[in-house]
Amino acid sequence: KNQVEQSPQSLIILEGKNCTLQCNYTVSPFSNLRWYKQDTGRGPVSLTIMTFSENTKSNGRYTATLDADTKQSSLHITASQLSDSASYICVVSASGATNKLIFGTGTLLAVQP
Amino acid sequence: GAGVSQTPSNKVTEKGKYVELRCDPISGHTALYWYRQSLGQGPEFLIYFQGTGAADDSGLPNDRFFAVRPEGSVSTLKIQRTERGDSAVYLCASSSSSEGEQFFGPGTRLTVL
């Protein structure tokens, strides 16, 4: 069964600190992996997208990594800001699946002053 | 350019009632997706439209759920005989092609009492 698992479930950090979120997936055949940020009461917004051949992708203070062999990804947030408080969702797309996205349950990040 | 919009933002109904949820995709986007997000979970795929036709409705949980997109733009998700378990946020997304990035709306929060 195609699944995406994330850890930790929730995380609290102080403003200015770094953090890393983890994602493991069993989706096959793999097409791409995305990290989304979802603010409370809003729809998800894409942060990064990586295909099989890419092992790192950055978007400002967000850096995603992908190890297609171990089927693991991470999202590293540098110098966190209060506005980073949100749910971060790892999403995997399977090849030939008409762009159907398989979502993880998300990591709820709270950045405190 | 406006993003994906959804109405209403909140809907409270009684068990057994019929509800309609509306999605206005980004202008020109041919692909439209509906997802359901339960509390503390990632979104789950419901149905995918390419133009006016439902290309993949494998995520609809049962025959109480139905969606239409008669003119290839606005879509309506219809739920008959609502049950308390239908309470969730219903997200709509659109993309410029079947392989393109999906842009999400803010969602409709449905509460069935």
Side-chain angles (χ1 to χ4, degrees), chain A residues 9 31-32 34 36 38 41-47 89 93 96-106, chain B residues 33 35 37 40-45 48 56 58 91 95 97-107 109:
Chain A
Q9 193 171 28
S31 176
N32 58 65
R34 310 160 195 247
Y36 280 84
Q38 186 174 23
R42 308 291 291 273
V45 175
S46 179
L47 295 175
I89 308 176
S93 178
T98 60
N99 211 9
K100 185 190 304 184
L101 302 181
I102 301 161
F103 289 77
T105 56
Chain B
Y33 306 79
Y35 296 87
Q37 185 172 23
Q41 302 295 314
E44 291 181 313
F45 170 81
Y48 156 60
D56 184 349
S58 61
L91 292 166
S95 65
S97 69
S98 62
E99 299 297 324
E101 179 179 352
Q102 296 182 29
F103 295 87
F104 285 81
R109 180 175 297 279

Side-chain angles (χ1 to χ4, degrees), chain B residues 5-8 18-25 32-35 46-49 51-52 54 60 64-80 90-92 108:
Chain B
S5 62
Q6 294 184 244
T7 54
Y18 168 83
V19 296
E20 290 189 352
L21 312 179
R22 176 187 168 109
C23 171
D24 280 87
L32 185 145
Y33 306 79
W34 282 99
Y35 296 87
L46 294 177
I47 186 169
Y48 156 60
F49 285 91
T52 60
L60 295 178
R64 295 187 297 106
F65 289 74
F66 189 70
V68 296
R69 195 186 186 199
E71 298 180 356
S73 179
V74 171
S75 176
T76 304
L77 178 65
K78 307 180 180 189
I79 310 175
Q80 299 177 320
Y90 290 82
L91 292 166
C92 175
T108 292

Side-chain angles (χ1 to χ4, degrees), chain A residues 8 26 40 46-48 58-59 66 85 89 94-95 98-99 103-104 107 109 113:
Chain A
T26 57
T40 302
S46 179
L47 295 175
T48 63
S58 291
N59 177 4
L66 173 64
S85 296
I89 308 176
S95 298
T98 60
N99 211 9
F103 289 77
T107 292
L109 174 66

